[in-house]
PDB file of all heavy atoms in Angstrom:
ATOM      1  N   GLY B  16      31.035 105.811-165.963  1.00 96.00           N
ATOM      2  CA  GLY B  16      31.207 105.269-164.633  1.00 96.00           C
ATOM      3  C   GLY B  16      30.571 103.786-164.512  1.00 96.00           C
ATOM      4  O   GLY B  16      30.811 103.167-163.453  1.00 96.00           O
ATOM      5  N   THR B  17      29.720 103.420-165.400  1.00 96.00           N
ATOM      6  CA  THR B  17      29.062 102.194-165.378  1.00 96.00           C
ATOM      7  C   THR B  17      29.941 101.055-165.950  1.00 96.00           C
ATOM      8  O   THR B  17      30.833 101.322-166.943  1.00 96.00           O
ATOM      9  CB  THR B  17      27.733 102.052-166.128  1.00 96.00           C
ATOM     10  OG1 THR B  17      27.918 102.440-167.434  1.00 96.00           O
ATOM     11  CG2 THR B  17      26.751 103.109-165.449  1.00 96.00           C
ATOM     12  N   PRO B  18      29.866  99.846-165.485  1.00 96.00           N
ATOM     13  CA  PRO B  18      30.663  98.717-166.119  1.00 96.00           C
ATOM     14  C   PRO B  18      29.896  98.172-167.284  1.00 96.00           C
ATOM     15  O   PRO B  18      28.767  98.181-167.433  1.00 96.00           O
ATOM     16  CB  PRO B  18      30.611  97.642-165.003  1.00 96.00           C
ATOM     17  CG  PRO B  18      29.440  98.012-164.184  1.00 96.00           C
ATOM     18  CD  PRO B  18      29.223  99.435-164.244  1.00 96.00           C
ATOM     19  N   VAL B  19      30.725  97.808-168.325  1.00 97.00           N
ATOM     20  CA  VAL B  19      30.158  97.248-169.585  1.00 97.00           C
ATOM     21  C   VAL B  19      30.956  96.035-169.958  1.00 97.00           C
ATOM     22  O   VAL B  19      32.235  96.009-169.791  1.00 97.00           O
ATOM     23  CB  VAL B  19      30.278  98.258-170.696  1.00 97.00           C
ATOM     24  CG1 VAL B  19      29.832  97.652-172.082  1.00 97.00           C
ATOM     25  CG2 VAL B  19      29.554  99.515-170.306  1.00 97.00           C
ATOM     26  N   THR B  20      30.255  95.045-170.406  1.00 98.00           N
ATOM     27  CA  THR B  20      30.894  93.791-170.930  1.00 98.00           C
ATOM     28  C   THR B  20      30.455  93.493-172.334  1.00 98.00           C
ATOM     29  O   THR B  20      29.223  93.468-172.516  1.00 98.00           O
ATOM     30  CB  THR B  20      30.696  92.575-169.972  1.00 98.00           C
ATOM     31  OG1 THR B  20      31.170  92.876-168.677  1.00 98.00           O
ATOM     32  CG2 THR B  20      31.189  91.302-170.610  1.00 98.00           C
ATOM     33  N   LEU B  21      31.310  93.349-173.191  1.00 98.00           N
ATOM     34  CA  LEU B  21      31.110  92.831-174.542  1.00 98.00           C
ATOM     35  C   LEU B  21      31.537  91.596-174.747  1.00 98.00           C
ATOM     36  O   LEU B  21      32.513  91.015-174.276  1.00 98.00           O
ATOM     37  CB  LEU B  21      31.845  93.850-175.561  1.00 98.00           C
ATOM     38  CG  LEU B  21      31.704  95.279-175.395  1.00 98.00           C
ATOM     39  CD1 LEU B  21      32.436  96.138-176.481  1.00 98.00           C
ATOM     40  CD2 LEU B  21      30.210  95.733-175.275  1.00 98.00           C
ATOM     41  N   ARG B  22      30.733  90.758-175.533  1.00 98.00           N
ATOM     42  CA  ARG B  22      30.972  89.373-175.652  1.00 98.00           C
ATOM     43  C   ARG B  22      31.356  89.026-177.184  1.00 98.00           C
ATOM     44  O   ARG B  22      30.681  89.599-178.126  1.00 98.00           O
ATOM     45  CB  ARG B  22      29.750  88.541-175.332  1.00 98.00           C
ATOM     46  CG  ARG B  22      29.982  87.009-175.455  1.00 98.00           C
ATOM     47  CD  ARG B  22      28.705  86.299-175.078  1.00 98.00           C
ATOM     48  NE  ARG B  22      28.835  84.876-174.981  1.00 98.00           N
ATOM     49  CZ  ARG B  22      28.036  83.970-175.774  1.00 98.00           C
ATOM     50  NH1 ARG B  22      27.121  84.534-176.460  1.00 98.00           N
ATOM     51  NH2 ARG B  22      28.246  82.729-175.753  1.00 98.00           N
ATOM     52  N   CYS B  23      32.280  88.239-177.364  1.00 98.00           N
ATOM     53  CA  CYS B  23      32.595  87.677-178.705  1.00 98.00           C
ATOM     54  C   CYS B  23      32.548  86.133-178.609  1.00 98.00           C
ATOM     55  O   CYS B  23      33.120  85.489-177.710  1.00 98.00           O
ATOM     56  CB  CYS B  23      33.944  88.165-179.059  1.00 98.00           C
ATOM     57  SG  CYS B  23      34.554  87.333-180.635  1.00 98.00           S
ATOM     58  N   HIS B  24      31.764  85.523-179.548  1.00 98.00           N
ATOM     59  CA  HIS B  24      31.622  84.237-179.508  1.00 98.00           C
ATOM     60  C   HIS B  24      31.936  83.637-180.926  1.00 98.00           C
ATOM     61  O   HIS B  24      31.516  84.097-181.935  1.00 98.00           O
ATOM     62  CB  HIS B  24      30.032  83.793-179.257  1.00 98.00           C
ATOM     63  CG  HIS B  24      29.832  82.357-179.391  1.00 98.00           C
ATOM     64  ND1 HIS B  24      30.044  81.537-178.267  1.00 98.00           N
ATOM     65  CD2 HIS B  24      29.108  81.535-180.242  1.00 98.00           C
ATOM     66  CE1 HIS B  24      29.657  80.273-178.609  1.00 98.00           C
ATOM     67  NE2 HIS B  24      29.093  80.371-179.718  1.00 98.00           N
ATOM     68  N   GLN B  25      32.650  82.526-180.959  1.00 97.00           N
ATOM     69  CA  GLN B  25      33.083  81.946-182.274  1.00 97.00           C
ATOM     70  C   GLN B  25      32.767  80.436-182.230  1.00 97.00           C
ATOM     71  O   GLN B  25      32.707  79.780-181.201  1.00 97.00           O
ATOM     72  CB  GLN B  25      34.682  82.065-182.438  1.00 97.00           C
ATOM     73  CG  GLN B  25      35.416  81.403-181.343  1.00 97.00           C
ATOM     74  CD  GLN B  25      36.713  80.746-181.838  1.00 97.00           C
ATOM     75  OE1 GLN B  25      36.929  80.353-183.014  1.00 97.00           O
ATOM     76  NE2 GLN B  25      37.817  80.685-180.980  1.00 97.00           N
ATOM     77  N   THR B  26      32.448  79.945-183.375  1.00 96.00           N
ATOM     78  CA  THR B  26      32.144  78.544-183.659  1.00 96.00           C
ATOM     79  C   THR B  26      33.210  77.790-184.405  1.00 96.00           C
ATOM     80  O   THR B  26      32.933  76.769-184.979  1.00 96.00           O
ATOM     81  CB  THR B  26      30.744  78.492-184.336  1.00 96.00           C
ATOM     82  OG1 THR B  26      30.698  79.104-185.529  1.00 96.00           O
ATOM     83  CG2 THR B  26      29.711  79.055-183.368  1.00 96.00           C
ATOM     84  N   GLU B  27      34.331  78.363-184.674  1.00 92.00           N
ATOM     85  CA  GLU B  27      35.397  77.948-185.499  1.00 92.00           C
ATOM     86  C   GLU B  27      36.422  77.214-184.769  1.00 92.00           C
ATOM     87  O   GLU B  27      37.364  76.599-185.366  1.00 92.00           O
ATOM     88  CB  GLU B  27      36.131  79.078-186.209  1.00 92.00           C
ATOM     89  CG  GLU B  27      35.131  79.956-187.084  1.00 92.00           C
ATOM     90  CD  GLU B  27      34.494  79.171-188.177  1.00 92.00           C
ATOM     91  OE1 GLU B  27      35.039  78.367-188.750  1.00 92.00           O
ATOM     92  OE2 GLU B  27      33.265  79.381-188.371  1.00 92.00           O
ATOM     93  N   ASN B  28      36.477  77.225-183.487  1.00 92.00           N
ATOM     94  CA  ASN B  28      37.454  76.555-182.605  1.00 92.00           C
ATOM     95  C   ASN B  28      38.844  77.088-182.823  1.00 92.00           C
ATOM     96  O   ASN B  28      39.868  76.395-182.815  1.00 92.00           O
ATOM     97  CB  ASN B  28      37.399  75.045-182.829  1.00 92.00           C
ATOM     98  CG  ASN B  28      38.095  74.250-181.702  1.00 92.00           C
ATOM     99  OD1 ASN B  28      37.996  74.696-180.537  1.00 92.00           O
ATOM    100  ND2 ASN B  28      38.831  73.168-182.046  1.00 92.00           N
ATOM    101  N   HIS B  29      38.889  78.458-183.217  1.00 92.00           N
ATOM    102  CA  HIS B  29      40.253  78.936-183.414  1.00 92.00           C
ATOM    103  C   HIS B  29      40.946  79.295-182.068  1.00 92.00           C
ATOM    104  O   HIS B  29      40.312  79.671-181.150  1.00 92.00           O
ATOM    105  CB  HIS B  29      40.107  80.390-184.234  1.00 92.00           C
ATOM    106  CG  HIS B  29      39.828  80.087-185.724  1.00 92.00           C
ATOM    107  ND1 HIS B  29      39.786  78.719-186.212  1.00 92.00           N
ATOM    108  CD2 HIS B  29      39.818  80.799-186.770  1.00 92.00           C
ATOM    109  CE1 HIS B  29      39.636  78.742-187.529  1.00 92.00           C
ATOM    110  NE2 HIS B  29      39.600  80.051-187.983  1.00 92.00           N
TER     111      HIS B  29
END
Side-chain angles (χ1 to χ4, degrees):
Chain B
T17 59
V19 176
T20 295
L21 308 183
R22 179 181 184 237
C23 177
H24 178 77
Q25 60 145 330
T26 58
E27 305 296 321
N28 200 36
H29 282 2

